[in-house]
Structure formats: C-alpha cells, structure tokens
Amino acid sequence: MESRIKSWNEGHTADLVTELRTCVACGEPIADKYLFDVDGCSWHGSCLRCSVCLTLLERQPSCYFRDRQVYCRTDYAK
C-alpha cells in the first residue's frame, strides 16, 4: 500500500511516496509513527504480544523470536 505525503522543500511542494508495511498480526497497514520489526516481520505496537501469555511487548526492552512465534523473555526461556 502506498501513501502520498506532501512535503514543502525550498519553496516547492513535492510528492513523497512512502510504502506502508503490513502488520503480520492483524494484516492492516502500519501508518503509526513507529513500527516494530522482528526478524523481518512488521508489527503495530499494539499487536506485538507474546504468543504464549499474550503480554503486550510494545514497552518491553526485548522480545524473542523462534519458529515464527514471538515470546516474552519468561516464555522464551521455558
């Protein structure tokens, strides 16, 4: 999906084309200010959760990825 953004540069307007990534959890385009990239997959912050305990990982210092599943530190160590 493409998004066109108008930019003002040196007195001229220009169209900047940005490609929106798709969240692997919900399938929706990510238009948020920040996105999370885990092992080449993109996530909305609100969609990045541990696949075992469903803890929201958006504010965690790290997350872990194995067999295409995302884990919190506790569940990854099990």
Side-chain angles (χ1 to χ4, degrees), residues 37-57:
D37 189 275
V38 180
D39 199 42
C41 296
S42 300
W43 306 75
H44 291 106
S46 58
C47 291
L48 185 59
R49 295 180 175 273
C50 174
S51 60
V52 175
C53 68
L54 302 179
T55 296
L56 187 61
L57 300 173

Side-chain angles (χ1 to χ4, degrees), residues 3-78:
S3 173
R4 292 198 177 272
I5 302 170
K6 287 282 192 185
S7 174
W8 188 261
N9 186 11
E10 298 176 12
H12 302 283
T13 59
D15 280 339
L16 298 177
V17 178
T18 58
E19 183 147 344
L20 299 178
R21 293 190 186 178
T22 301
C23 177
V24 297
C26 71
E28 295 294 320
I30 302 172
D32 302 350
K33 185 175 182 179
Y34 300 103
L35 66 84
F36 293 83
D37 189 275
V38 180
D39 199 42
C41 296
S42 300
W43 306 75
H44 291 106
S46 58
C47 291
L48 185 59
R49 295 180 175 273
C50 174
S51 60
V52 175
C53 68
L54 302 179
T55 296
L56 187 61
L57 300 173
E58 177 179 32
R59 300 212 184 265
Q60 298 298 314
S62 61
C63 65
Y64 301 85
F65 194 77
R66 179 177 53 212
D67 300 326
R68 303 208 36 88
Q69 298 292 318
V70 179
Y71 299 92
C72 65
R73 183 177 185 162
T74 302
D75 288 321
Y76 184 78
K78 290 180 182 177

